[in-house]
Amino acid sequence: LFVASRALGLLREIVIARQFGTSADMDAYLAAFRLPDFLFYVVAGGALGSAFIPTYTGYLTRANRPGAWQLASAVMNWVLLILSLLGGLAALFAPWLVQQLYADFSPARQAPTVKLMRWVLSSTVIFGLSGVVMGILNAQQHFLLPALAPVIYNLAIIMGAWLLGPVWGVRGLTAGVVLGAAGHLLVQLPALIRGQQRIQYRPVLAARNPSLHEVGRLMAPRVLGLAAVQLNFLVNTILAAGLVAGSLTALNYGWIIMLLPQGIIAQSVATALFPTLAALATTEAWPEMRRVFGTTLRSMLFLTLPAAAGLVILA
């Protein structure tokens, strides 16, 4: 499914390129994503998953289902609350933010960027909740529906570009993003509702829960690292926005192609590997953990080094 997702991701970029090329409208579309992406990755992206899954897995290993669901419920509620608050503020101050970040854009290009950013911010909130659901399912060793979610997301964007693009322009593409985010969440819910370990959601924040504090403590260094990466992306976007129209779009097309091996090989392996390592660490099975990690690392190098060489040669 990761291969299918990346193949559809490449098809998505082909459809978008055929429809919009390297245009000023596409630059505005991509610029509109940068701040919502920054909020998502810092609040609910990889940092949350890497902190939540080991803590949640600890409860499952000890067969403490009530504690596991209280932690999961609290994390979902906090993500929804924080992203809604930050997203609402970003939407309110979007004209000022776009003016400050993309001062090189003309007023005619800033106006659609503001509108598109407000649309994308709604998908950021949905993605945050969907990311927690994905972490819950992965910790329970359920990988099928979480792996299917990006496929649904890419299909929605392709349909938005193909069917709505000719009528609405990049607004149709953005509508596909919002619908895709909703599909990303909804496709995973059956596993929580009907699975053997069906969800026991509670409307709690559990601010004094020690496990919630542990998730926050584990997140802190990862948040700093992700914030630095996202800041680099933001700087690249700002610099490209100051070049000739279409430069930002061209940069994005090259980036998408470069990430293909990472998504197909590294991300799929890491998604399945991480909950297993977390469970082995909880039971302090260090020799087995070292063996699994070493074998996986060698296998990934065996696949990614030729892939990198192939990208250089076939660029």
Side-chain angles (χ1 to χ4, degrees), residues 117-248:
M117 182 185 291
R118 285 171 170 162
W119 281 44
V120 175
L121 282 166
S122 63
S123 70
T124 300
V125 178
I126 300 171
F127 261 128
L129 191 57
S130 185
V132 180
V133 173
M134 185 176 286
I136 293 170
L137 294 178
N138 286 344
Q140 295 176 358
Q141 299 292 318
H142 183 106
F143 300 106
L144 178 61
L145 293 183
L148 182 61
V151 174
I152 301 298
Y153 176 66
N154 282 327
L155 281 173
I157 297 177
I158 290 170
M159 298 306 291
W162 186 23
L163 300 178
L164 300 178
V167 182
W168 290 358
V170 290
R171 288 181 300 164
L173 189 55
T174 310
V177 169
V178 177
L179 291 174
H184 192 282
L185 172 62
L186 293 175
V187 76
Q188 297 182 78
L189 292 184
L192 282 185
I193 298 171
R194 300 176 186 173
Q196 293 180 346
Q197 302 170 357
R198 60 175 58 93
I199 188 171
Q200 300 170 15
Y201 172 77
R202 302 173 187 176
V204 297
L205 291 176
R208 297 184 179 180
N209 187 330
S211 296
L212 189 65
H213 297 168
E214 177 69 4
V215 171
R217 185 186 70 80
L218 293 174
M219 275 184 68
R222 186 91 170 104
V223 164
L224 291 175
L226 283 174
V229 172
Q230 290 301 311
L231 191 60
N232 284 335
F233 291 158
L234 181 60
V235 170
N236 283 346
T237 303
I238 293 170
L239 292 174
L243 302 176
V244 64
S247 298
L248 178 54

Side-chain angles (χ1 to χ4, degrees), residues 63 70 115 126 160 228:
Q70 184 183 43
K115 293 179 181 178
I126 300 171

Side-chain angles (χ1 to χ4, degrees), residues 10-314:
L10 186 59
L11 177 61
R12 177 196 70 202
E13 296 304 314
I14 292 170
V15 172
I16 291 173
R18 293 286 177 88
Q19 193 71 257
F20 304 104
T22 51
S23 61
D25 284 344
M26 268 305 294
D27 282 356
Y29 168 80
L30 294 170
F33 264 87
R34 188 47 56 210
L35 186 62
D37 274 358
F38 183 91
L39 292 178
F40 168 74
Y41 281 106
V42 170
V43 175
L48 179 60
S50 61
F52 170 73
I53 289 177
T55 311
Y56 182 77
T57 301
Y59 278 108
L60 297 181
T61 305
R62 297 189 295 270
N64 184 355
R65 303 289 175 194
W69 283 120
Q70 184 183 43
L71 174 63
S73 299
V75 170
M76 281 192 284
N77 294 335
W78 275 110
V79 166
L80 194 60
L81 180 64
I82 293 172
L83 281 179
S84 296
L85 179 61
L86 293 177
L89 289 173
L92 180 63
F93 293 104
W96 180 83
L97 289 169
V98 169
Q99 189 176 29
Q100 297 302 312
L101 292 174
Y102 308 117
D104 290 320
F105 275 6
S106 66
R109 292 171 70 189
Q110 287 183 4
T113 304
V114 170
K115 293 179 181 178
L116 295 174
M117 182 185 291
R118 285 171 170 162
W119 281 44
V120 175
L121 282 166
S122 63
S123 70
T124 300
V125 178
I126 300 171
F127 261 128
L129 191 57
S130 185
V132 180
V133 173
M134 185 176 286
I136 293 170
L137 294 178
N138 286 344
Q140 295 176 358
Q141 299 292 318
H142 183 106
F143 300 106
L144 178 61
L145 293 183
L148 182 61
V151 174
I152 301 298
Y153 176 66
N154 282 327
L155 281 173
I157 297 177
I158 290 170
M159 298 306 291
W162 186 23
L163 300 178
L164 300 178
V167 182
W168 290 358
V170 290
R171 288 181 300 164
L173 189 55
T174 310
V177 169
V178 177
L179 291 174
H184 192 282
L185 172 62
L186 293 175
V187 76
Q188 297 182 78
L189 292 184
L192 282 185
I193 298 171
R194 300 176 186 173
Q196 293 180 346
Q197 302 170 357
R198 60 175 58 93
I199 188 171
Q200 300 170 15
Y201 172 77
R202 302 173 187 176
V204 297
L205 291 176
R208 297 184 179 180
N209 187 330
S211 296
L212 189 65
H213 297 168
E214 177 69 4
V215 171
R217 185 186 70 80
L218 293 174
M219 275 184 68
R222 186 91 170 104
V223 164
L224 291 175
L226 283 174
V229 172
Q230 290 301 311
L231 191 60
N232 284 335
F233 291 158
L234 181 60
V235 170
N236 283 346
T237 303
I238 293 170
L239 292 174
L243 302 176
V244 64
S247 298
L248 178 54
T249 306
L251 176 66
N252 182 69
Y253 289 149
W255 180 255
I256 292 294
I257 295 172
M258 186 271 288
L259 285 181
L260 276 173
Q262 178 182 331
I264 294 172
I265 302 168
Q267 192 174 350
S268 58
V269 171
T271 299
L273 175 69
F274 190 64
T276 301
L277 294 182
L280 291 172
T282 301
T283 57
E284 298 186 357
W286 307 122
E288 178 65 7
M289 183 177 176
R290 281 193 290 270
R291 186 192 67 79
V292 171
F293 178 75
T295 302
T296 306
L297 185 61
R298 286 192 294 274
S299 300
M300 286 176 60
L301 288 172
F302 179 77
L303 294 170
T304 53
L305 289 176
L311 284 176
V312 172
I313 295 168
L314 301 174

